[in-house]
Amino acid sequence: MAVLATNVFYPVSFTKVKLPTVKITVTGVSQVTPTSASITLESNAVTLFVKLSSEVVGYFSDNGFLMLPHEKVSVTFTSLAKFDIKAFQETLTIRSVRDTIY
């Protein structure tokens, strides 16, 4: 059976919670087609609203997502034109809600 969506309930404001220091690691980046890449991430702690960005113009299959400790998350990046994977990797930025609160 396929999972179409998941929901996460946050009982209090993030400003009232001591969010742990997180380290998000890119465990893999590979060019799938001339216009797409696969990115695999892993975090050492619960990480809220992980946001990916790059100077390469395109979009991510998921953005603003929750990461659980030591759980690998794979995301696909799609560009409207061919792109250089090295330029993509060099400009890939990863942020989370903790980066904006503290």
Side-chain angles (χ1 to χ4, degrees):
M1 178 165 52
V3 176
L4 298 177
T6 59
N7 293 315
V8 179
F9 174 70
Y10 303 104
V12 296
S13 169
F14 302 127
T15 57
K16 295 182 180 184
V17 177
K18 174 73 173 126
L19 296 172
T21 301
V22 296
K23 180 179 180 191
I24 301 172
T25 305
V26 177
T27 59
V29 176
S30 60
Q31 191 143 18
V32 179
T33 70
T35 60
S36 69
S38 176
I39 304 99
T40 305
L41 308 167
E42 188 172 351
S43 177
N44 67 327
V46 172
T47 310
L48 305 175
F49 297 107
V50 176
K51 181 182 182 302
L52 306 174
S53 61
S54 174
E55 290 180 12
V56 176
V57 177
Y59 60 92
F60 294 89
S61 60
D62 199 1
N63 227 344
F65 51 87
L66 170 77
M67 291 186 72
L68 299 175
H70 311 292
E71 181 177 88
K72 291 186 186 268
V73 174
S74 292
V75 178
T76 301
F77 173 79
T78 304
S79 176
L80 300 176
K82 293 180 183 179
F83 66 93
D84 178 59
I85 193 70
K86 288 189 188 286
F88 174 76
Q89 285 179 281
E90 290 171 0
T91 63
L92 180 63
T93 304
I94 306 166
R95 294 182 51 97
S96 72
V97 78
R98 188 179 196 291
D99 299 319
T100 62
I101 292 177
Y102 304 107

